Amino acid sequence: MNILVTGANGQLGSELRLLAVNSIHRFIFTDVIDLPGRETVFLDICDPDAVKTVCDSESVDLIINCAAYTNVNAAESDPDAAASLNAKAPSLLADIAAARRMTLIHISTDYVFDGSANVPYKESVTPSPCSVYGSTKLAGEEAVRRSGCRSIIIRTAWLYSRFGKNFVKTIGERCVATDKISVVVDQVGSPTCATDLAAAIMYIIDSGQLDKCGTYHFSNEGAISWFDFARAIADLRSSDCKIVPCSSSDYPSPVHRPNYSVLDKSKFKDTFGFEIPYWRTSLSKCIAEIWK
């Protein structure tokens, strides 16, 4: 199978690259950003002609869309840019997938919910985004479904990895450089190690389950606050840095961030038979990789 990966130099795309080395499938990694030492095909997924050309020339069977506008704060001041990558591009990819009878795996987010719940979000809950980022990601999901293409939409949350910039790397560096860090305690969710999400996607492909179309939730098991997460990072870094709890109101933001982002993974586990690791287990492994 020929598999096209968009946003291949981001966190999830980078993890897929590592797994692709031992895959029987052929991967075409695309992005608009080049990174040294990585073979990357330049592809603007907002350009339908460019996408069609690559899909035809590479005889693509499956698209994994990892590309997204993920700067949540910047999206509020530049909604057009966020909509272009989060809504227009998935719509374009889905239409092309439908026309060529390809399958699309599309990555979405917990931000399609407003975070007002107190129990883990099931896929059946009606989305109610409260930010430009969340609204544009929801629009992307809806476009994929409208297209009629064979699709698997995976919502995830609090993504981190050994690659790029993320909460784990930021806190891990700060906790050995300073004596005290304040972290919000009133936002709760489930971290997702990109290694595990990439492994889950590869498992779906390799086990021949691409026909199980639908919307699914995936994150690591367990629920914690950002404060708990930061404290665990400091602990695993063997740092004496004091992690101090604070309220999100102490850090005014142009974005209303969900107070509760825990996703119910039952449907994913029951459908695909994939065992999802506990958040601290995956965090420990990732930190060992980053600072080995």
Side-chain angles (χ1 to χ4, degrees):
M1 185 163 24
N2 296 318
I3 302 173
L4 178 76
V5 180
T6 70
N9 290 332
Q11 294 190 86
L12 181 56
S14 296
E15 293 288 354
L16 285 169
R17 280 183 186 269
L18 296 181
L19 296 177
V21 172
N22 297 315
S23 175
I24 62 172
H25 304 292
R26 175 173 170 263
F27 284 79
I28 303 98
F29 291 103
T30 74
D31 209 314
V32 293
I33 299 171
D34 263 332
L35 289 181
R38 297 191 184 187
E39 184 177 340
T40 306
V41 175
F42 179 88
L43 179 62
D44 177 1
I45 59 172
C46 294
D47 181 346
D49 291 334
V51 176
K52 290 174 185 176
T53 297
V54 171
C55 287
D56 288 341
S57 64
E58 302 293 343
S59 300
V60 173
D61 303 295
L62 167 67
I63 299 173
I64 305 176
N65 183 31
C66 303
Y69 188 104
T70 57
N71 189 325
V72 178
N73 285 347
E76 294 296 317
S77 56
D78 196 355
D80 290 342
S84 181
L85 199 52
N86 293 344
K88 176 185 174 184
S91 177
L92 186 158
L93 293 173
D95 287 343
I96 292 173
R100 286 160 173 74
R101 298 185 178 181
M102 299 184 293
T103 301
L104 171 64
I105 296 178
H106 175 65
I107 308 303
S108 192
T109 175
D110 61 300
Y111 270 72
V112 300
F113 302 113
D114 62 13
S116 61
N118 54 18
V119 294
Y121 281 99
K122 291 181 177 291
E123 293 84 352
S124 57
V125 174
T126 301
S128 54
C130 52
S131 66
V132 169
Y133 171 65
S135 297
T136 56
K137 289 295 289 182
L138 177 59
E141 285 188 13
E142 292 171 339
V144 171
R145 296 189 193 97
R146 275 197 312 270
S147 74
C149 76
R150 293 191 298 265
S151 65
I152 294 174
I153 298 171
I154 303 175
R155 293 175 180 149
T156 191
W158 294 24
L159 194 69
Y160 70 90
S161 73
R162 73 197 88 175
F163 301 102
K165 296 180 179 179
N166 55 67
F167 185 81
V168 170
K169 292 174 80 172
T170 298
I171 295 297
E173 291 164 1
R174 287 187 61 195
C175 73
V176 296
T178 188
D179 295 329
K180 184 172 74 173
I181 304 172
S182 296
V183 183
V184 295
V185 73
D186 55 358
Q187 293 176 10
V188 175
S190 301
T192 307
C193 183
T195 303
D196 296 330
L197 179 53
I201 291 171
M202 292 294 282
Y203 178 80
I204 292 171
I205 296 169
D206 292 339
S207 58
Q209 300 190 75
L210 287 171
D211 60 324
K212 296 178 179 178
C213 299
T215 301
Y216 300 90
H217 290 170
F218 185 98
S219 65
N220 282 119
E221 296 283 16
I224 55 172
S225 69
W226 286 111
F227 165 74
D228 297 321
F229 197 18
R231 194 164 56 176
I233 294 166
D235 178 49
L236 290 167
R237 287 281 277 143
S238 300
S239 168
D240 293 328
C241 177
K242 185 176 183 181
I243 309 298
V244 181
C246 67
S247 169
S248 54
S249 62
D250 295 330
Y251 291 90
S253 168
V255 183
H256 173 73
R257 297 174 185 272
N259 290 328
Y260 187 84
S261 293
V262 182
L263 300 174
D264 186 310
K265 281 81 68 175
S266 300
K267 181 181 175 183
F268 190 97
K269 291 184 289 185
D270 292 344
T271 300
F272 299 111
F274 185 85
E275 185 174 345
I276 302 176
Y278 185 62
W279 70 267
R280 191 175 178 102
T281 302
S282 294
L283 176 64
S284 179
K285 291 178 180 177
C286 185
I287 284 179
E289 283 291 332
I290 295 172
W291 290 289
K292 58 184 175 181

